[in-house]
Amino acid sequence: MSFGSFQPKNRFIKWFDGQLPILSLMHGTVVSYPTPRNLNYWWNFGSLAGIFLTVQIITGVILAMHYTPESTMAFDSVEHIMRDVNYGWLLRYMHANGASMFFLVVYIHIFRGLYFGSYKAPREVLWWLGLVILLLMMASGFMGYVLPWGQMSFWAAKVITNLFSAIPIVGESVVRWLWGDFSVGNATLNRFFSLHYLLPFLIVGVVILHIWALHIPGSNNPLGIDAKGPQDKIPFHPYYTAKDLFGLSVISVVFAFFIFYAPNSLGHPDNYIPANPLATPPHIVPEWYYLPFYAILRAIPDKLFGVIAMFSSILLLFALPWLDTSKVRSARFRPIYKQFFWLLVIDAVVLGYVGANPPEGAFILIGRLATTYYFLHFLVIVPIVGWLEKPKPLPESIASAVLGDKAEG
Amino acid sequence: MTHKNPCIALLIAVALVAVGMVPALAEEAHPEKQDWSHQGPTGTFDRGALQRGFQVYREVCSACHDLKYITFRNLGDLGYSKAEIAALAAEYEVADGPNDDGDMFTRPGIPSDHIPSPFANDNAARASNGGALPPDLSLIVKAREGGEDYIYALLTGYRDAPDDFTLGEGLNYNPYFTNSQIAMPQPLFEEAVEFADGTGASVEQMAHDVTTFLAWAAEPTLEARKRLGFKVMIYLLILVGLMYAVNRRVWKKLKQ
Amino acid sequence: MQAEKRELLMATDHDTNSGEGGKTRRDFLYVATGAFGAVGAAAFAWPLIDQMNPSADVLALSSIKVDLSAIEVGRTIKVVWRKQPVFIRHRTAADIRDARADDSAEMPDPEPDAERVERPEWLIMVGVCTHLGCIPLGDRGDYGGWFCPCHGSHYDKSGRIRKGPAPKNLVVPKYVFVDDNTVRIG
């Protein structure tokens, strides 16, 4: 079903679209696209993610006009941007805090998916594409953080690239190949700059596939039930364009707060010290959005298995549509799964807190417990809960759930 | 949501208690919070403090510490006129060259020059300071946990080491620094500087003023940032209101 | 089913205002919000554009002071201003006389010598050929001034183009004599 096709009145547009139907494609995607009428605000975060990707690309391309990717000049060029380039400080803070906003929005978007079963059939490939986007984001963010060539930039690069030495037999060669040198240095910085510029455009490509894959089955909704008839859906425009713009204005307040009033609060002071290969900072920590994975990495005493655990924590999510055995999508109707979902959220926060602290004292035990619980959740709890749980009765249709009460008066 | 479930509440409580049991990791003293005129959403730099702080930097700190990201023209922010800045710059000898004979030479500074370093390079700096490198101060306030409060605490924190404390060779006791020992000897002493505006030069006053100056040096655009931030926040809050109204109006059509 | 669909489409269609003035009220809100948003978008776009303008450190070097006391009569020095070469010639009396003698001669870009100098003995010009940007060579060419080797433009003792493809005289930058021995260019 559709809410009307693209009918341009302008003859030029009609002629153009007849040869390259990009305008009717856009119309079908964001104007007439039939969307469940009951989407709540947790559904805003997909479009917000797209917005922040755009913000990062625009501010990033502009920063690249002023940045110098050479190890003796990089730090100075960033200070040049902060002090001399017109509005340079604004662009730099937008880009640095925009990365945090991008991850925040994407993590909420993912947890939305976990709660409402958006990863389940027929949206498995959509889920996979999302995970690919997450992996590309993490690679891109990691390389971007290296570019200012501060102490944290250098040492994070050293620590994370050194992980690859855990690969048996070829590990050392791989690391030297990544570095382009016998240590993290100028060669590494230059290639990270090149790749950091490239990856976001790969992300754009996968985002297009992600939206395409979404539009085949259509969007999920908070009830997790399929649309049954035309009364269950409404056109994307004006309802969700208005709602998305509202959500955008709200998140802009959060973004602006960070940029203008707490621009360095999410960063680490050590990155305002120029990189010194001969002085290791007392505590090497990544940016907040990597902390849970950092905790998982450090929870395993063995180097190779720590790396495997860290990557597995995301890779196992590819199997989630099959690990979750429940036929019911939305946690609204899954009273047992809902509790474990919130435990997972707490677990993720605990992992983040552990990652922020040095691996000493009680943090070691808590980190290991939280890591175990994370894997337990996906590999044991989710499959078992799916089998054993008795879900609540599902409503008849979206429309009846939304309008039903009103019909009764 | 979660507040209805006692299991979740219990788990949060356990987590918090477990975390609370973690021993304090930093043995150093924690800097007390000070008042800074440039803090807060509408904060601005105290021009008097900036000028006095610059004087402290010139007369005390610049013997060992760089300020390489500050150019003389930046000092216009402190309230100096163009003529004053040109005169100030000319007091310094700046390295330049090579000339047509291939030699490096020095010449009087001009406003576009960066403040010259006291040392030719890092090795020279170390050689003059017992192997320790005095860090550049351009970003020190942003490069240290605790920011201004930490710098102030450090500068005013010198005292005699406790009896049971073993002080390393050539180091000085300061409870705010890592391991409570720092290579820099106490830099500020009472009346070390005679302020042009007549303010008494107590250690606290000099520390406060030089820290304010260094906070400016770390981020000269701070005031512009907060000014623009105010306008942006007002704009966005109005926009949120408008978008809320638009959204409600659009969705009213579905009330059926 | 078709009737239901049509009804739904109509219900979700634009319009169906409640009461008179409903349409104007709705329009006003949308127009006002749209305008407000457009203003914000323009304000947001400005820093993205302005950042490409010369930065503060570049602007700081946009004027230089040159000490003229060491330049003997008859000598030309070259200084760098805004990354370009600038010729400063301490002209002899003969130079000035020859330059002014040609004031009414036929040339591609007629300009009296007096309009090209603040003080006749100091000729200050940007040393970039107005044809395609090469640096002309001094004390060369058919007019005793400069000659550009790239495409054969000849400039006279006032830096005016006399022969060759260059369309305009060598550019005289804005400058002011701070005192008798110092000039500020830019």
Side-chain angles (χ1 to χ4, degrees):
Chain A
M1 61 177 298
S2 172
F3 288 102
S5 54
F6 184 54
Q7 305 283 10
K9 295 186 203 78
N10 181 298
R11 273 177 47 197
F12 172 77
I13 292 178
K14 206 165 165 176
W15 165 82
F16 185 90
D17 198 65
Q19 299 198 15
L20 180 70
I22 192 159
L23 295 163
S24 35
L25 177 70
M26 296 309 307
H27 187 272
T29 308
V30 291
V31 177
S32 61
Y33 170 61
T35 324
R37 64 190 304 146
N38 62 333
L39 298 186
N40 59 28
Y41 280 100
W42 298 111
W43 261 260
N44 276 46
F45 289 89
S47 69
L48 290 178
I51 300 274
F52 281 110
L53 174 63
T54 310
V55 166
Q56 289 306 93
I57 289 177
I58 292 175
T59 54
V61 166
I62 287 175
L63 286 170
M65 294 183 182
H66 303 278
Y67 169 75
T68 304
E70 199 278 334
S71 56
T72 59
M73 298 198 275
F75 191 89
D76 290 352
S77 73
V78 173
E79 281 305 306
H80 163 68
I81 289 169
M82 293 294 290
R83 294 163 190 268
D84 289 325
V85 173
N86 300 330
Y87 294 104
W89 56 270
L90 176 63
L91 292 158
R92 197 273 177 104
Y93 281 148
M94 278 181 74
H95 198 73
N97 288 287
S100 283
M101 295 300 300
F102 194 13
F103 274 99
L104 173 69
V105 149
V106 163
Y107 282 148
I108 295 175
H109 182 69
I110 293 173
F111 275 96
R112 183 282 311 262
L114 292 176
Y115 189 86
F116 293 107
S118 309
Y119 51 86
K120 289 169 172 293
R123 297 183 181 88
E124 298 96 313
V125 173
L126 173 67
W127 175 251
W128 284 354
L129 290 167
L131 291 173
V132 168
I133 292 171
L134 176 65
L135 289 168
L136 287 172
M137 277 174 67
M138 294 175 75
S140 193
F142 161 66
M143 291 190 293
Y145 193 67
V146 175
L147 302 183
W149 211 240
Q151 272 288 67
M152 275 310 166
S153 305
F154 179 90
W155 290 97
K158 197 135 195 258
V159 165
I160 298 302
T161 48
N162 256 317
L163 291 181
F164 290 90
S165 64
I167 302 172
I169 305 167
V170 292
E172 293 289 340
S173 311
V174 167
V175 174
R176 208 171 310 143
W177 173 77
L178 283 174
W179 286 342
D181 198 334
F182 299 104
S183 172
V184 170
N186 189 51
T188 323
L189 176 61
N190 254 286
R191 63 192 54 182
F192 277 11
F193 178 61
S194 169
L195 295 174
H196 182 71
Y197 205 121
L198 170 70
L199 249 50
F201 295 101
L202 298 185
I203 294 175
V204 169
V206 182
V207 164
I208 290 174
L209 296 179
H210 189 67
I211 297 175
W212 186 3
L214 171 68
H215 284 212
I216 305 294
S219 303
N220 190 15
N221 69 85
L223 299 174
I225 57 180
D226 291 331
K228 302 217 167 54
Q231 68 280 14
D232 286 342
K233 292 205 177 173
I234 50 179
F236 192 84
H237 177 74
Y239 301 100
Y240 290 111
T241 42
K243 195 168 185 179
D244 278 351
L245 284 173
F246 172 63
L248 173 60
S249 67
V250 171
I251 203 109
S252 298
V253 174
V254 177
F255 191 27
F257 168 77
F258 278 109
I259 293 171
F260 294 101
Y261 297 112
N264 294 300
S265 57
L266 298 171
H268 199 287
D270 276 7
N271 227 28
Y272 277 106
I273 303 172
N276 183 352
L278 300 175
T280 311
H283 307 301
I284 301 176
V285 260
E287 290 288 88
W288 70 268
Y289 32 85
Y290 296 131
L291 291 174
F293 304 104
Y294 197 52
I296 293 175
L297 173 74
R298 296 191 300 187
I300 320 273
D302 181 272
K303 188 173 178 183
L304 177 61
F305 284 110
V307 173
I308 291 176
M310 184 178 75
F311 284 117
S312 301
S313 67
I314 301 186
L315 293 177
L316 70 75
L317 292 173
F318 281 87
L320 181 60
W322 296 275
L323 289 170
D324 187 352
T325 50
S326 169
K327 295 284 178 283
V328 173
R329 288 202 189 102
S330 171
R332 275 207 196 156
F333 304 100
R334 304 182 59 191
I336 310 290
Y337 174 79
K338 185 194 286 200
Q339 312 297 349
F340 286 107
F341 171 85
W342 288 110
L343 279 180
L344 180 70
V345 172
I346 292 171
D347 185 59
V349 173
V350 168
L351 279 172
Y353 188 73
V354 167
N357 283 282
E360 292 165 10
F363 286 117
I364 302 182
L365 179 64
I366 298 173
R368 289 183 183 161
L369 286 174
T371 301
T372 311
Y373 184 78
Y374 179 91
F375 285 98
L376 213 69
H377 174 93
F378 288 104
L379 297 172
V380 174
I381 295 175
V382 162
I384 293 180
V385 166
W387 279 322
L388 299 181
E389 184 179 42
K390 184 175 185 304
K392 296 215 250 226
L394 299 172
E396 222 180 83
S397 74
I398 295 174
S400 71
V402 170
L403 307 167
D405 296 347
K406 298 186 181 123
E408 249 111 58
Chain B
M1 286 194 304
T2 60
H3 52 267
K4 296 205 186 93
N5 191 316
C7 285
I8 309 293
L10 181 64
L11 247 123
I12 298 175
V14 168
L16 286 171
V17 168
V19 160
M21 287 189 323
V22 173
L25 292 154
E27 277 166 26
E28 293 86 40
H30 201 70
E32 290 90 47
K33 282 222 158 309
Q34 307 292 331
D35 288 319
W36 304 102
S37 67
H38 56 274
Q39 254 163 7
T42 51
T44 53
F45 289 114
D46 174 355
R47 290 285 171 297
L50 287 180
Q51 294 198 6
R52 291 191 299 270
F54 177 53
Q55 188 178 351
V56 173
Y57 167 75
R58 284 188 76 189
E59 295 182 20
V60 180
C61 323
S62 63
C64 301
H65 289 279
D66 280 335
L67 200 69
K68 65 195 257 210
Y69 292 116
I70 298 296
T71 60
F72 292 106
R73 63 178 163 87
N74 293 139
L75 297 172
D77 286 357
L78 271 53
Y80 297 118
S81 70
K82 279 212 164 99
E84 284 171 325
I85 290 174
L88 186 76
E91 288 174 28
Y92 286 78
E93 283 294 306
V94 169
D96 204 351
N99 57 22
D100 289 337
D101 294 324
D103 298 321
M104 305 300 285
F105 58 93
T106 62
R107 55 155 178 79
I110 55 176
S112 58
D113 287 329
H114 290 257
I115 295 189
S117 170
F119 300 109
N121 49 61
D122 279 1
N123 288 356
R126 281 189 193 277
S128 292
N129 288 285
L133 179 66
D136 184 284
L137 295 181
S138 310
L139 287 166
I140 201 82
V141 165
K142 287 206 283 195
R144 294 292 183 270
E145 194 75 51
E148 293 91 330
D149 295 333
Y150 168 77
I151 302 295
Y152 179 86
L154 189 74
L155 291 174
T156 55
Y158 284 86
R159 59 199 62 158
D160 291 325
D163 295 321
D164 57 346
F165 189 90
T166 6
L167 200 55
E169 171 124 10
L171 297 176
N172 307 275
Y173 183 78
N174 190 315
Y176 295 99
F177 197 74
T178 330
N179 297 328
S180 301
Q181 348 184 31
I182 184 171
M184 172 171 77
Q186 179 172 348
L188 299 175
F189 293 95
E190 186 107 3
E191 305 298 329
V193 164
E194 201 180 305
F195 284 130
D197 64 0
T199 314
S202 64
V203 172
E204 289 77 18
Q205 181 70 46
M206 288 189 287
H208 172 270
D209 291 339
V210 78
T211 303
T212 304
F213 171 73
L214 291 176
W216 167 82
E219 192 155 333
T221 53
L222 179 142
E223 290 177 334
R225 166 164 63 84
K226 294 188 180 188
R227 269 199 313 268
L228 183 59
F230 183 75
K231 292 187 211 152
V232 168
M233 288 307 241
I234 299 289
Y235 172 85
L236 284 176
L237 290 171
I238 296 175
L239 185 69
V240 166
L242 284 174
M243 283 311 314
Y244 178 77
V246 165
N247 193 38
R248 258 182 49 139
R249 174 68 55 86
V250 164
W251 281 83
K252 249 175 41 179
K253 292 194 200 115
L254 281 183
K255 59 179 191 254
Q256 224 117 344
Chain C
M1 182 61 171
Q2 279 297 97
E4 271 180 58
K5 205 169 185 168
R6 220 177 309 129
E7 232 182 81
L8 176 73
L9 278 172
M10 280 167 59
T12 57
D13 231 340
H14 296 285
D15 241 359
T16 20
N17 37 58
S18 36
E20 313 101 53
K23 192 180 171 91
T24 3
R25 243 199 343 264
R26 179 220 38 195
D27 271 352
F28 177 73
L29 176 63
Y30 293 164
V31 168
T33 307
F36 196 74
V39 163
F44 174 73
W46 172 244
L48 305 183
I49 296 169
D50 191 33
Q51 53 83 20
M52 279 173 69
N53 274 323
S55 53
D57 56 329
V58 166
L59 292 174
L61 290 170
S62 62
S63 86
I64 59 164
K65 281 227 285 261
V66 185
D67 178 15
L68 303 171
S69 54
I71 311 173
E72 296 142 17
V73 181
R75 279 202 56 212
T76 310
I77 67 161
K78 203 177 356 175
V79 296
V80 176
W81 172 69
R82 294 189 184 174
K83 316 273 188 330
Q84 307 264 58
V86 170
F87 300 148
I88 303 181
R89 180 166 177 79
H90 196 170
R91 297 200 295 186
T92 62
D95 290 334
I96 301 170
R97 193 190 56 228
D98 291 340
R100 297 203 167 178
D102 280 351
D103 269 354
S104 42
E106 212 181 288
M107 56 177 82
D109 183 15
E111 198 180 0
D113 179 76
E115 284 179 22
R116 291 178 55 74
V117 290
E118 293 276 323
R119 303 184 184 186
E121 66 273 24
W122 292 107
L123 178 62
I124 302 176
M125 325 177 282
V126 178
V128 172
C129 184
T130 57
H131 178 228
L132 289 174
C134 295
I135 302 176
L137 304 166
D139 293 319
R140 232 49 84 84
D142 295 346
Y143 295 84
W146 286 263
F147 172 72
C148 183
C150 290
H151 308 99
S153 294
H154 298 256
Y155 296 89
D156 66 16
K157 292 184 175 177
S158 185
R160 296 174 292 210
I161 180 66
R162 302 296 294 271
K163 190 162 74 174
K168 293 236 159 264
N169 303 332
L170 291 177
V171 173
V172 175
K174 192 174 78 141
Y175 64 85
V176 67
F177 280 88
V178 176
D179 56 52
D180 285 343
N181 280 325
T182 324
V183 68
R184 185 171 66 233
I185 305 177

